[in-house]
Amino acid sequence: DAMVIQNPRYQVTQFGKPVTLSCSQTLNHNVMYWYQQKSSQAPKLLFHYYDKDFNNEADTPDNFQSRRPNTSFCFLDIRSPGLGDAAMYLCATSPGTGSYEQYFGPGTRLTVT
Amino acid sequence: DQQVKQNSPSLSVQEGRISILNCDYTNSMFDYFLWYKKYPAEGPTFLISISSIKDKNEDGRFTVFLNKSAKHLSLHIVPSQPGDSAVYFCAARDNYGGSQGNLIFGKGTKLSVKP
């Protein structure tokens, strides 16, 4: 089945220690998104790639970076995690042109100690 | 400031009855609305959507109603089943202002369907 895969599902990192979350897709979609979701909050878009074009949301902290080496993979790098970065991180994909639906992975729960 | 609001954090309904989940939005430029369903430890899954040029869309037990003048949409589930117990997110597509059609989500409503 075509899907969006996120690894790991649970990640524990120390305060200030860089961490990378990964997302892969078998849907061959053009667009890949990263969202941050804190408890009882709406998913908040951090950035997205349309093909290789990177689009950063205005209020996404510089501490968050992303890489998309190819169509299938996208990475979220948190350079110096703070306690406030503990959250669920959701990856989503979309075909792009003509389709508005986004397809989500199961998420990675990040804990910062 | 929230552009998509789901003012009820939770809703409890008896099995077989109707569930009505509400969503309000502030931006009249939103042109497409979606409902997502999320089970614990899973990502949100697409449920149903509606274009701003329509006022109703139906898919089996799920119907979404859109009232543009009131900037309000609702999701009706009839009849409700215990398996519908989940968090439901309302989302709106922002196709203007350089947003490239990104989705803006509400905080979600947790639906519990009691047997």
Side-chain angles (χ1 to χ4, degrees):
Chain A
D1 282 346
M3 56 176 55
V4 181
I5 302 162
Q6 290 188 245
N7 287 307
R9 295 292 307 274
Y10 301 91
Q11 176 74 57
V12 180
T13 191
Q14 292 178 332
F15 183 94
K17 185 174 181 181
V19 65
T20 295
L21 310 181
S22 72
C23 177
S24 63
Q25 54 134 339
T26 60
L27 298 161
N28 202 32
H29 283 171
N30 291 323
V31 193
M32 294 187 78
Y33 305 84
W34 279 105
Y35 289 87
Q36 179 193 64
Q37 186 184 19
K38 297 187 177 181
S39 181
S40 301
Q41 297 295 311
K44 178 181 180 299
L45 183 64
L46 296 174
F47 24 58
H48 74 277
Y49 275 92
Y50 197 115
D51 290 330
K52 295 181 180 180
D53 293 333
F54 177 71
N55 299 273
N56 198 33
E57 293 301 295
D59 57 355
T60 298
D62 293 339
N63 197 26
F64 291 85
Q65 303 286 319
S66 185
R67 297 171 282 135
R68 189 179 185 184
N70 54 52
T71 300
S72 300
F73 286 87
C74 195
F75 300 97
L76 170 62
D77 301 308
I78 308 177
R79 294 193 293 185
S80 181
L83 297 178
D85 296 328
M88 176 70 81
Y89 289 88
L90 295 164
C91 174
T93 72
S94 173
T97 305
S99 175
Y100 313 135
E101 298 163 21
Q102 295 183 14
Y103 300 80
F104 284 83
T108 295
R109 170 74 64 186
L110 178 68
T111 300
V112 181
T113 61
Chain B
D1 190 29
Q2 281 185 272
Q3 297 189 68
V4 177
K5 299 178 184 179
Q6 293 178 258
N7 291 320
S8 298
S10 63
L11 175 68
S12 184
V13 172
Q14 204 68 32
E15 181 179 7
R17 306 295 291 268
I18 184 171
S19 295
I20 301 176
L21 297 104
N22 294 304
C23 178
D24 297 295
Y25 61 95
T26 58
N27 189 339
S28 58
M29 302 301 269
F30 290 154
D31 65 347
Y32 202 79
F33 302 88
L34 306 90
W35 285 94
Y36 281 82
K37 177 179 179 179
K38 185 182 184 303
Y39 292 119
E42 295 183 13
T45 55
F46 170 73
L47 188 58
I48 192 170
S49 62
I50 188 167
S51 166
S52 61
I53 63 173
K54 297 187 176 182
D55 55 18
K56 178 182 175 181
N57 188 27
E58 191 172 354
D59 183 2
R61 296 187 297 114
F62 302 90
T63 303
V64 57
F65 296 92
L66 175 62
N67 182 334
K68 283 185 67 178
S69 61
K71 295 192 181 69
H72 177 83
L73 66 155
S74 60
L75 173 67
H76 293 212
I77 306 173
V78 183
S80 301
Q81 299 173 354
D84 296 329
S85 298
V87 177
Y88 290 79
F89 290 97
C90 172
R93 191 180 91 110
D94 184 3
N95 198 32
Y96 294 90
S99 68
Q100 300 185 325
N102 294 333
L103 296 182
I104 298 174
F105 285 84
K107 291 185 177 182
T109 296
K110 184 176 182 179
L111 174 65
S112 299
V113 180
K114 310 288 186 189

